[in-house]
Amino acid sequence: MNFAPTEEQQMVRDMVKKFAETEIKPIAAELDKTHRHPEEICRKLGEMGIMGVAVAEEYGGAGMDNVAYVMAMIEISKACASCGVIVSVNNSLYGFPVKTYGTEEQKHKFLTPVASGQVEGCYALTEASAGSDAASLKCRAELKGDKYIVNGTKTFITNGNVANYCVLAATTDPAAGYKGVINLIVDLKNTNGFKVGKVEEKMGILASGTAELVFEDAEVPAANLLGKPGQGFKQMMEGLNAGRIGIGAQACGIGRAAMEDAINYSKERVQFGKPINTFQAIQFKLAEMATELDAAELLLLRAAWMEDHKLDHEKESAMCKYYASDVAMRAAIEGVQIFGGYGYIKEYPAERHMRDAKICQIYEGTNEIQRVVIARKLLGLR
Ligand code: CAA
């Protein structure tokens, strides 16, 4: 078994690492404090091909694989978790369904601007009463002539307040359950009847916008339907299989940042006449963080590799998402503990890592749902 990255994957990792360390990390605290959308970072990452790593070059992407994508995601998220989720949503939740189910025309029109990083995309699934139970969504799309008339409100939509385009999950027939779900591409800047609603105040990932999307008799061309009616739920689930790999990578990046900051601090912090890294109490914490983060990264790379090789990776992507986010949370909590009182104040990044890590256990399917997904596959229940 070969654990070495290819030359191309290594090149992407090195390029993104350099960019993240010199241009993202220095402004991460400011972004967190001001909640500012990192417009300039998104545009530069776009120029580097990182807003569509695994999208073909003819649609504005870098034409690389998902292993390269997760390597880039780790480096970006290590520097700034908010930038990480913005990149993940563009690549996975928006990019995946459009590149996989879109027609040539849809891809040229709606994928190219997002994959090339000119504008942001988002994915609108969640509603106030449809979170874990995604099939219970109520947002209604009624076909009238050559348009869908859309009514409903989406909540907690990452990039929702800044995105130009959205893949919107709606139902044409609530009585049909998941079989009534369709995905429509919506041009958010040019759709009558659409508005951005409440922008949420959150605990972490503060530089990424999380917004309500409100549709009131919004008119969406029928030509913007992805695939065929009846396929929407499956498209959505397959998109989440891909998206969970992105969040696993975000979590690995946050966990690594927490560990590296704790290592550096433990070398400098002197108590009882010696650096605290000479105490086993600290060494054991660092050893556990390193081991768990390596294990998470191996699960992550396996899932990305399986996606690249078109293998069923539903279980593996759920495994890497839940394990990496649980590990990132533990690493971030222990990071704060190693920093002691300094870990609890905003002058140091330890508390930010802890706030940022938490969401990875919740979004793109709570970690409880990931365990449901894994168990159902394991037991042959699906
Ligand atoms: N891959 C492919 N197909 C799948 C699938 C998967 N992972 N899971 C289910 N399906 C298919 C099934 O095979 C079935 O199709 P058939 O009848 O043709 O076989 C169909 O979908 C319905 O499946 P279920 O009956 O199993 O569906 P369910 O209602 O029991 O739901 C669930 C399953 C796993 C709980 C699902 O609802 C789920 O994943 N919930 C979590 C939702 C979620 O992840 N939300 C995240 C929002 S996006 C976000 O968070 C973004 C962000 O902020 C960054």
Side-chain angles (χ1 to χ4, degrees), residues 93 132 158 178 233 237 241 244 314 363-365 376 382:
L93 284 189
S132 293
T158 304
Y178 76 86
F233 194 77
M237 289 295 117
N241 294 343
R244 288 165 185 164
E314 177 182 346
Y363 58 19
E364 299 214 19
R376 292 196 319 183
R382 206 185 75 67

Side-chain angles (χ1 to χ4, degrees), residues 97-152:
V98 183
K99 87 173 171 188
T100 310
Y101 312 110
T103 60
E104 273 308 299
E105 200 188 335
Q106 287 172 338
K107 285 192 267 194
H108 282 292
K109 194 166 169 192
F110 299 117
L111 182 57
T112 304
V114 174
S116 60
Q118 295 160 41
V119 296
E120 267 70 78
C122 69
Y123 183 61
L125 160 61
T126 304
E127 298 176 8
S129 60
S132 293
D133 184 7
S136 68
L137 62 85
K138 292 192 173 59
C139 181
R140 189 80 192 261
E142 287 173 276
L143 187 59
K144 291 209 172 132
D146 60 354
K147 287 181 185 128
Y148 281 98
I149 307 299
V150 178
N151 281 288

